[in-house]
């Protein structure tokens, strides 16, 4: 079994064609640390502005690189274009209000946030972080680039902005792909594979004894994929933690 998201929380069925204006509105979610590489968004925005586009890039997350990023944004005169919001509880609302998702991480073991963005109907433009190769099929359900090339990223965004029907094709592909990772389906698969007793009475089981471990702590359940050493945390009511 793979990783899972709360599809219902992020799903945005009413995703429309991008607005017929000159603004690229995108969101980026992740801790402000080196491997998340949010500084790469600066040359992307600078390139888009040379092509006559205004930008609104909402960066959600906090971390040790916040002061550095804010300084770089200001020194590039992009304070109105790139906004650091810090940690927020309503990530799905930011995604619904945006038109694109940009991911600049240099390393990503999987990339749950990419699935959440797809569920929200956002075409994804991402750097190849290795693990996200399992999610993004280039020019089918998103864009994934090997190099930190601001022009490539910018041109992908412009292409979708200027081709509404193509944009909607990516929306449809993203919805279809991300729905396969719905936590509800994940739980049903666990039950079908004989893990129902663990789900009903979650306790700690040593790593060596099972492929899947479910641990209940207060109001959280932790689903642990032993082979991949991946932990997915979600609330009782299904909201991703």
């Amino acid at each position: 079994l793979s990783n899972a998201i709360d599809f219902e929380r992020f799903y945005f069925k009413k995703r429309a064609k991008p607005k017929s204006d000159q603004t690229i509105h995108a969101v980026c979610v992740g801790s402000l640390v080196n491997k998340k590489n949010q500084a790469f968004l600066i040359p992307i925005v600078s390139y888009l502005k040379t092509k006559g586009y205004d930008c609104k890039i909402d960066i959600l997350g906090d971390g040790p690189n916040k002061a550095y990023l804010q300084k770089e944004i200001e020194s590039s005169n992009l304070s109105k274009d790139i906004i650091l919001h810090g940690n927020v509880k309503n990530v799905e609302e930011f995604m619904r209000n945006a038109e694109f998702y940009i991911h600049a991480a240099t390393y990503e073991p999987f990339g749950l946030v990419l699935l959440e963005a797809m569920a929200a109907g956002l075409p994804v433009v991402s750097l190849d972080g290795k693990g996200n190769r399992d999610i993004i099929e280039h020019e089918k359900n998103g864009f994934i680039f090997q190099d930190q090339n601001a022009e490539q990223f910018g041109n992908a965004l412009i292409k979708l902005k200027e081709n509404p029907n193509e944009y909607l094709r990516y929306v449809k592909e993203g919805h279809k792909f991300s729905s396969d990772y719905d936590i509800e389906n994940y739980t049903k698969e666990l039950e079908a594979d004989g893990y129902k007793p663990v789900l009903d009475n979650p306790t700690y089981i040593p790593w060596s004894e099972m492929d899947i471990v479910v641990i209940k702590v207060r109001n959280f359940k932790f689903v642990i994929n032993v082979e991949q050493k991946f932990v997915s945390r979600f609330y009782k009511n299904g909201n991703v933690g």
Side-chain angles (χ1 to χ4, degrees), residues 93-116:
E93 290 183 24
F94 279 89
M95 288 185 174
R96 287 171 186 166
N97 290 329
E99 293 181 336
F100 304 95
Y101 186 86
I102 306 179
H103 203 65
T106 56
Y107 174 71
E108 197 66 71
F110 184 69
L112 285 173
V113 70
L114 303 179
L115 293 173
E116 292 166 350

Side-chain angles (χ1 to χ4, degrees), residues 18 39 54-56 66-67 69 73 90 94-95 104 137 140 150 159 161 169 190 197 201 210 222 233 235 239:
D54 294 321
C55 295
K56 181 181 180 183
K66 184 174 183 178
L69 285 169
I73 290 168
N90 57 335
F94 279 89
M95 288 185 174
E137 187 172 347
K140 180 180 179 181
K159 176 183 177 180
K161 182 72 172 179
R169 183 180 71 79
L190 284 173
N201 301 286
M210 291 188 69
F222 294 81
R233 186 185 74 178
Y235 296 105
N239 291 332

